[in-house]
Amino acid sequence: MLLAATVLVACLTEIHSQSLKPSCDSPIYCKGELLHDVQMARLFNDSKTFVDLKLRKPEKEVLNAFDNLKNKYNRTIPKEQLRDFVDEYFVDCPADPKCKELEVWEPNDWKPDPNILDRIADQNYRGWAKKLNHIWRELSRKMSSTVLKDKTMTSLIYLPNGFVIPGGRFKEMYYWDNYWIIKGLLHCDMFETVKGVIENFFELVKKIGHIPNGSRVYYKERSQPPMLTLMVDAYVRSSRDEGFINRGTLEILDKELMYFIQNRQVDVKKNGTLHKLYRYYAPSSGPRPESYREDFLLAEDLPSQDSKTKLYVNLKSAAESGWDFSSRWYITENGTNEGTLKDVQTEYIIPVDLNAILFGCFETISKWFQWVGDFEKYWFYRFKAIELATGIEKVMWNKRDGIWYDYDNLNFKQRKYFYSSNFAPLWTGAYTFYRPELSRNIINYIFKMGINKHRGGTPQSIYDTGEQWDYPNA
């Protein structure tokens, strides 16, 4: 067992020692001295602010001006001069009315009083639902054609249709957030908007081969939970637009799922049997551009470039999960979750929710391929679903505790900690157990862990680490 673990670690370390490509090709938004100098100077409280700025002048001109400034100050630009440079060559579009990138957009199918309000009897809940409906209009955006024209002058990836942003510092379209946004839009009968959002994701798959974390170039080398197939399913069920399930749609969904099969699938050995399961894994060089300074300082005292690269990759992999950050991704030297961000080792963790989501996708798309008469693809995904359901049961299900757990593929053991993701197979149906027995097991687990005593609902975790996805923050 120890030898196997050593071999596994050695193999993964070798991967990290290789020259990884950066988060994207941009010499401003993803790599290079300009990015490093600006982010480390902390000109902005939030590292994301800089990589969301738009260039005032062409990329080459900006880089030449920066290099000249570096030479003027013997390659170390004073902070104030660096600030002046950024002010001269970059612009914060939301703060400058002359700058056109994202435009406020009102969806054609938005209504102040959607039909769902008539089905809510309680006046307080009805008022709350109406306020939520108004948020769709407040957060709706559409990209200006200038984004398409000046691709190297912005970090945005052009999208043809309008969409809903999360809000706050997140001013672009995000991947898995949109599953929940879409569910809300469908309740408000905004079918046209939802179809447009899904078609935006289709465009990303066509351009990039997968859907990035968000519609910024610096997110290109990492994805998020693969919800696109489930989005399409939700849309078709609500709108009854069955014609949307055609060979063109299935080709795109197949391409996205194959990205996960080819790039996130790993072998997990349990009781002498190999199971094909999935992990979050986003290998690229350097810190996350949108959290550059934070990542750089976190890794600064690590002993080698390989160890720094390993941490950067694992931070990005955790961000790919959508749970950035949580003790869920910590593996300490003694194999527990009682660590810090330096102990993030996402690449070794086989997550319950990712595998449950992919099972749901495989099941759904297999039925659609059968529907259109592509039986080769039907059987491919039918087999993948069965294979995955078996792996989830054999590797993640804990009969004694009556729950699924993430699996530690470094220490070859289940991670017996409470996270709400433990319940994910219930959502997608990724189990083969007799339902009444399963229900009793789950209820017993909830009471044993005291989850029923939390007045605010089910927490994401019960571990108070100060991280965004740990108690009491989520």
Side-chain angles (χ1 to χ4, degrees), residues 34-46:
L34 198 162
L35 175 67
H36 178 82
D37 287 3
V38 171
Q39 297 290 44
M40 295 311 297
R42 201 179 184 185
L43 301 183
F44 307 97
N45 291 329
D46 183 354

Side-chain angles (χ1 to χ4, degrees), residues 55-186:
L55 301 186
R56 294 183 188 271
K57 297 179 181 179
E59 180 186 274
K60 187 175 181 180
E61 186 176 336
V62 174
L63 290 171
N64 286 338
F66 177 72
D67 193 53
N68 290 336
L69 192 63
K70 290 277 284 186
N71 289 334
K72 179 179 178 180
Y73 289 101
N74 197 26
R75 309 305 293 176
T76 304
I77 305 172
K79 186 171 182 177
E80 285 309 308
Q81 281 67 37
L82 188 59
R83 188 187 304 278
D84 291 342
F85 172 84
V86 171
D87 289 342
E88 180 179 353
Y89 287 94
F90 293 83
V91 57
D92 182 5
C93 280
D96 187 338
K98 295 180 181 179
C99 181
K100 301 294 183 183
E101 268 196 330
L102 286 175
E103 301 170 348
V104 175
W105 169 68
E106 182 166 322
N108 292 330
D109 51 358
W110 183 85
K111 299 175 183 177
D113 296 294
N115 294 331
I116 191 174
L117 298 181
D118 296 333
R119 303 196 297 272
I120 303 175
D122 186 282
Q123 289 187 358
N124 291 327
Y125 282 128
R126 192 186 309 129
W128 177 68
K130 186 167 184 173
K131 288 179 181 178
L132 286 180
N133 179 60
H134 277 266
I135 291 175
W136 302 137
R137 187 170 65 168
E138 293 171 13
L139 296 179
S140 292
R141 299 289 185 273
K142 196 166 188 176
M143 288 193 186
S144 166
S145 58
T146 59
V147 175
L148 183 61
K149 181 181 177 182
D150 306 320
K151 292 181 181 179
T152 62
M153 295 179 69
T154 177
S155 61
L156 283 170
I157 302 171
Y158 180 75
L159 300 170
N161 303 316
F163 51 90
V164 178
I165 62 173
R169 65 197 284 262
F170 302 111
K171 297 170 287 189
E172 50 281 315
M173 188 177 81
Y174 280 80
Y175 187 4
W176 87 315
D177 302 60
N178 259 284
Y179 176 79
W180 319 109
I181 290 171
I182 279 173
K183 295 287 279 187
L185 294 172
L186 291 172

Side-chain angles (χ1 to χ4, degrees), residues 185-197:
L185 294 172
L186 291 172
H187 279 301
C188 296
D189 302 324
M190 295 177 66
F191 304 123
E192 180 185 341
T193 297
V194 169
K195 188 174 183 179
V197 170

Side-chain angles (χ1 to χ4, degrees), residues 330-349:
Y330 299 168
I331 302 179
T332 61
E333 288 186 1
N334 60 357
T336 74
N337 71 340
E338 298 172 359
T340 68
L341 279 180
K342 283 189 177 179
D343 297 302
V344 168
Q345 301 203 64
T346 319
E347 64 178 317
Y348 298 114
I349 295 173

